[in-house]
């Protein structure tokens, strides 16, 4: 794992323009900062999707075409703490739908905590945790031939560019059968004055989260980044529908990383691209799924129309 980290950091800082993979935000400190971000008033994404799961639960169930007497497997990619999903699970359990819940996550710890919570809150629910790579686990679940609903929530797909998102959804489809469903949570294209504060909060938590990437390189790869010589800079254009996060060098400087055995030069104002957050509408999503086995069947939005959970059917 560390060798991949070293390789990707070197490749990113040697490229023009410079980049660093957003997946390296997430160490213990980064995880805690992201939890803090999700609870910030500016970060509308979490509350918007929670609004759907709390207030439009029956609409979700009907749109998914669930029947009381028909068994299905409910699979969640990147389940995390399951805050939103619990709202749906509770209603399905109360109404005695016949299903099993398969939360998939890279973190064994997160899955264990989720299972403990669900055992307390919904004791009748059959929870079958799966730790590891999404597609490897889906491939193993595919063998059951049971009807499946896969959930990929939180606009996590927005961290991919459109080409990668298309490949991701295509690969999902290859592990599903005809008429299986994908419940895909996405952030909708909207005005700059709503989107930009979500990535540039007044408390500076998002800035700390972005700068933590450099701190992690310092701690794990022997870098000598001076964090006070870089600043967090988010950018968003409504027409493009893509929010981007950058770390910007505030001076001409050179950074050494022991693990790569290299020096990296930065000019004043030079950017490191660290994250993309894609926003969607029907046109964008239809383009992304054009070469996949899916079609849009339904779309459910929160009360402010900031966020949507699309229901895609596998043909």
């Amino acid at each position: 794992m560390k060798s991949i980290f070293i390789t990707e950091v070197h490749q990113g800082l040697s490229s023009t323009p410079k980049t660093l993979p957003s997946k390296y935000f997430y160490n213990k400190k980064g995880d805690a900062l992201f939890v803090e971000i999700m609870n910030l008033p500016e970060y509308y994404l979490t509350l918007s999707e929670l609004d759907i799961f709390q207030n439009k639960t029956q609409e979700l169930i009907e749109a998914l075409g669930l029947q009381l007497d028909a068994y299905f497997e409910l699979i969640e990619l990147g389940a995390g703490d399951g805050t939103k999903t619990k709202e749906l699970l509770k209603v399905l359990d109360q109404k005695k739908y016949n299903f099993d819940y398969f939360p998939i996550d890279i973190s064994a710890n997160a899955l264990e905590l989720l299972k403990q919570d669900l055992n307390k809150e919904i004791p009748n629910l059959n929870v079958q945790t799966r730790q590891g790579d999404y597609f490897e686990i889906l491939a193993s679940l595919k063998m059951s031939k049971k009807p499946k609903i896969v959930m990929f929530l939180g606009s996590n797909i927005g961290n991919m560019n459109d080409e990668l998102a298309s490949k991701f959804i295509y690969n999902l489809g290859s592990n599903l059968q005809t008429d299986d469903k994908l419940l895909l949570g996405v952030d909708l294209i909207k005005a700059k004055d709503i989107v930009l504060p979500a990535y540039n909060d007044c408390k500076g938590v998002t800035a700390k989260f972005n700068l933590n990437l450099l701190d992690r390189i310092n701690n794990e790869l022997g870098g000598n980044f001076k964090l006070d010589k870089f600043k967090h800079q988010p950018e968003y254009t409504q027409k493009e529908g893509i929010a981007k996060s950058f770390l910007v060098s505030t001076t001409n400087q050179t950074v050494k990383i022991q693990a790569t055995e290299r020096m990296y030069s930065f000019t004043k104002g030079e950017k490191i691209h660290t994250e993309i957050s894609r926003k969607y509408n029907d046109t964008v999503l239809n383009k992304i799924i054009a070469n996949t086995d899916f079609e849009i069947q339904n779309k459910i939005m929160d009360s402010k129309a900031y966020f949507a959970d699309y229901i895609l059917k596998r043909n």
Side-chain angles (χ1 to χ4, degrees):
M1 191 69 178
K2 187 174 180 180
S3 63
I4 297 170
F5 188 16
I6 293 167
T7 300
E8 292 185 342
V9 165
H10 173 63
Q11 287 174 345
L13 295 181
S14 301
S15 63
T16 305
K18 291 181 171 66
T19 63
L20 285 171
S22 58
K23 64 184 176 182
Y24 294 119
F25 285 142
Y26 301 98
N27 59 357
K28 189 175 181 180
K29 182 180 176 183
D31 289 347
L33 286 168
F34 189 65
V35 169
E36 197 174 342
I37 287 168
M38 288 193 295
N39 292 307
L40 291 168
E42 296 96 331
Y43 197 77
Y44 60 83
L45 289 87
T46 306
L47 289 176
S48 297
E49 194 169 28
L50 184 59
D51 179 15
I52 296 171
F53 274 73
Q54 285 179 329
N55 300 311
K56 297 190 175 182
T57 321
Q58 189 57 39
E59 194 176 333
L60 275 174
I61 290 169
E62 290 170 7
L64 288 166
L66 302 180
Q67 303 296 323
L68 280 170
D69 57 350
Y71 174 82
F72 63 94
E73 294 175 345
L74 186 63
I75 301 164
E76 184 171 8
L77 308 182
D81 65 2
T83 300
K84 290 167 284 193
T85 311
K86 285 175 188 175
E87 302 294 330
L88 175 62
L89 293 172
K90 286 173 183 175
V91 174
L92 291 173
D93 178 65
Q94 287 164 5
K95 298 195 173 185
K96 301 194 182 308
Y97 279 87
N98 184 16
F99 74 104
D100 293 324
Y101 174 52
F102 294 80
I104 302 173
D105 205 283
I106 197 69
S107 170
N109 182 57
L111 287 171
E112 182 58 33
L113 291 173
L114 175 60
K115 188 167 186 176
Q116 288 173 14
D117 286 347
L118 290 172
N119 285 342
K120 291 175 187 173
E121 295 181 42
I122 318 173
N124 295 325
L125 179 64
N126 186 6
V127 182
Q128 300 194 33
T129 60
R130 296 288 189 274
Q131 189 259 331
D133 176 79
Y134 293 162
F135 295 121
E136 287 178 8
I137 294 166
L138 280 173
S140 69
L141 293 174
K142 183 182 181 180
M143 307 309 291
S144 75
K145 305 293 185 187
K146 303 291 186 184
K148 292 174 177 59
I149 294 166
V150 176
M151 301 192 297
F152 193 47
L153 307 177
S155 203
N156 284 323
I157 196 151
N159 295 132
M160 308 175 195
N161 63 36
D162 291 355
E163 183 182 356
L164 283 175
S166 182
K167 288 179 181 175
F168 182 86
I169 293 176
Y170 177 85
N171 287 334
L172 273 181
S174 69
N175 285 288
L176 298 175
Q177 302 172 90
T178 301
D179 295 330
D180 284 345
K181 307 279 176 63
L182 170 61
L183 181 59
L184 184 67
V186 302
D187 194 15
L188 298 173
I189 294 173
K190 62 187 81 64
K192 188 175 183 177
D193 62 350
I194 299 168
V195 173
L196 208 51
Y199 303 96
N200 198 25
D201 62 280
C202 62
K203 286 186 176 179
V205 181
T206 314
K208 289 178 186 175
F209 179 65
N210 201 6
L211 285 162
N212 181 56
L213 209 164
L214 302 185
D215 195 37
R216 185 173 179 187
I217 293 171
N218 284 351
N219 292 331
E220 297 181 29
L221 304 185
N224 67 345
F225 280 99
K226 293 181 173 62
L227 271 59
D228 60 350
K229 301 296 183 185
F230 287 86
K231 66 176 182 179
H232 166 66
Q233 182 173 301
E235 297 176 7
Y236 174 73
T237 54
Q238 186 174 343
K239 185 177 179 181
E240 186 184 29
I242 299 176
K244 297 176 182 176
S245 291
F246 298 91
L247 290 167
V248 183
S249 177
T250 58
T251 186
N252 295 328
Q253 57 182 311
T254 301
V255 174
K256 182 180 180 181
I257 302 176
Q258 290 177 6
T260 67
E261 300 178 341
R262 296 287 197 284
M263 306 279 284
Y264 305 92
S265 296
F266 295 84
T267 57
K268 185 178 180 179
E270 187 173 4
K271 300 175 180 177
I272 309 172
H273 183 200
T274 56
E275 187 176 32
I276 181 174
S277 184
R278 179 65 151 125
K279 313 302 171 189
Y280 297 84
N281 56 24
D282 292 1
T283 303
V284 172
L285 190 55
N286 272 311
K287 185 179 176 183
I288 286 170
I289 66 172
N291 296 315
T292 74
D293 296 316
F294 287 99
E295 65 177 4
I296 296 174
Q297 198 171 45
N298 216 314
K299 173 186 179 183
I300 299 172
M301 294 187 289
D302 67 290
S303 57
K304 294 181 179 178
Y306 283 179
F307 200 96
D309 281 305
Y310 280 91
I311 293 166
L312 310 181
K313 187 178 89 165
R314 201 322 191 146
N315 294 321

